[in-house]
Amino acid sequence: MTHPVSPNTVLANALHHAEDVLTPRILATPPQRIVLVVGTQINGAPHIGTSLVQSLAFAMAARLRDRFGIPTEVLFSALDNAPYELTTDPVSGHRYQRAYAQALGHEALTDLVTALYQPLFTALSRHLGIPHRVETYSQQQAGEHFRRTWLRLLPRLDAARWWLAPSTGTPHVRVPCPQPGCGWAEKDAERTRVQLTDREAAQVAAVCLHHGPYQATIAPAEGAYLDLATLYRNLVKELALSNPHGTLHVMVKGGDWVFGSHLVDEALQAVGLIRGQLPARLFCPQVVTDTGAKLSKSLIREGRASLPEGAAGWMLDTRQWPGTVAEYAEQLLAMTDTLLSDPRHFFRSYSAAEIGRMMTAPAPRSVPAP
Ligand SMILES: [Zn+2]
């Protein structure tokens, strides 16, 4: 594969290898284990940007393991709280959403994740010898530690709320209507009220567009489905990981998160974490169009953007890749080798055409077969 030509940057100039960006954290508190956490919204077929971040999480895990001799693994967080359908309440004018978790139910959702993501993860995992786990947001929010973390955060939320919602100061909690077969929730939580009833439980009052007012309890081991706005959810997730017992968690995200992550970092510190307790972050290259905007499947689907020149259909729906999943994984890993071969190639964005060129270049890999 012919390597891309990448300009020097301040960060690239400071590093010999892309993974060195994590070295200070690893040396400051040498962990016994490193977990690379990569989250993906479950909303239709994955696109190339998703596959790129996921394969880079595995490739980076392998590099960190080889470099520091520390066991590494990948945790895939399947965000099934992504909206499945949206509607507007004709009475209040408020927007309502029904998430994948409520619309599809547990079994169909498991089937969806198994069909769309598991084959690629299994291939990447085997190629690199990196173990991985898949966790849905439904499982995560049901976990006692996550719910306890949220309950303990509530009395301190005032300190963080403007970081989580800089325009309104109100970070949103969504508790879907519990009526059988319903599951709608106010998207912007206009009429949702949260009250801590004791140290171990909160009462949430909300209004369903079909069933009117309802109440739900959130307790550590039981109670309603707890959905939170993105930054708020990240705060709780990362707080829950901040007492790690020898584990370093690395949040692996697309480059577009650079602009939002500092709000989460400030929120974490506002509720009492010190810098050394914040999770490590790894921002991966973004796939962009000719205008420099993130390649967006939804914008193209809505007809508000066109497929950029040099991009192929499989980039928006990786199931259309003209080959097997094993071949797709091999091409992705060959590309991650290139991107990780020089910090200049890693800390930058790539046009869809350039990604297409690298993904279709003949690239025999020098890794041993599983
Ligand atoms: Zn309802």
Side-chain angles (χ1 to χ4, degrees), residues 31-215:
Q32 288 154 15
R33 199 168 69 111
I34 301 174
V35 179
L36 290 98
V37 184
V38 58
T40 299
Q41 280 214 332
I42 303 303
N43 52 0
H47 63 88
I48 182 65
T50 311
S51 297
L52 179 61
V53 172
Q54 291 169 347
S55 54
L56 280 167
F58 278 93
M60 183 57 87
R63 285 189 166 238
L64 293 173
R65 175 198 58 196
D66 297 345
R67 173 80 174 278
F68 295 97
I70 298 170
T72 59
E73 60 186 80
V74 170
L75 170 60
F76 174 55
S77 181
L79 297 171
D80 55 4
N81 56 335
Y84 179 82
E85 46 190 339
L86 295 163
T87 193
T88 301
D89 177 12
V91 180
S92 64
H94 296 169
R95 287 185 302 159
Y96 275 77
Q97 70 168 49
R98 213 162 160 245
Y100 272 74
Q102 280 73 42
L104 298 189
H106 177 71
E107 207 164 309
L109 203 69
T110 307
D111 290 349
L112 188 76
V113 172
T114 303
L116 291 180
Y117 295 97
Q118 197 60 68
L120 178 61
F121 277 48
T122 303
L124 293 170
S125 204
R126 281 191 189 149
H127 254 292
L128 298 171
I130 296 291
H132 78 281
R133 277 186 302 132
V134 176
E135 185 182 59
T136 62
Y137 178 72
S138 292
Q139 292 168 327
Q140 191 182 26
Q141 63 79 34
E144 187 168 337
H145 183 54
F146 185 91
R147 293 165 88 82
R148 246 183 231 289
T149 302
W150 179 69
L151 288 165
R152 284 183 189 153
L153 167 68
L154 281 182
R156 289 177 289 163
L157 190 61
D158 232 16
R161 65 193 184 97
W162 286 100
W163 292 115
L164 299 176
S167 297
T168 62
T170 309
H172 299 150
V173 172
R174 290 183 211 106
V175 172
C177 172
Q179 287 290 326
C182 186
W184 286 93
E186 245 176 353
K187 186 165 174 51
D188 300 319
E190 291 93 338
R191 292 177 288 183
T192 303
R193 301 286 175 268
V194 179
Q195 203 189 353
L196 202 58
T197 45
D198 60 65
R199 281 187 66 230
E200 294 277 287
Q203 194 82 33
V204 180
V207 182
C208 175
L209 82 164
H210 297 303
H211 302 101
Y214 59 93
Q215 299 224 326

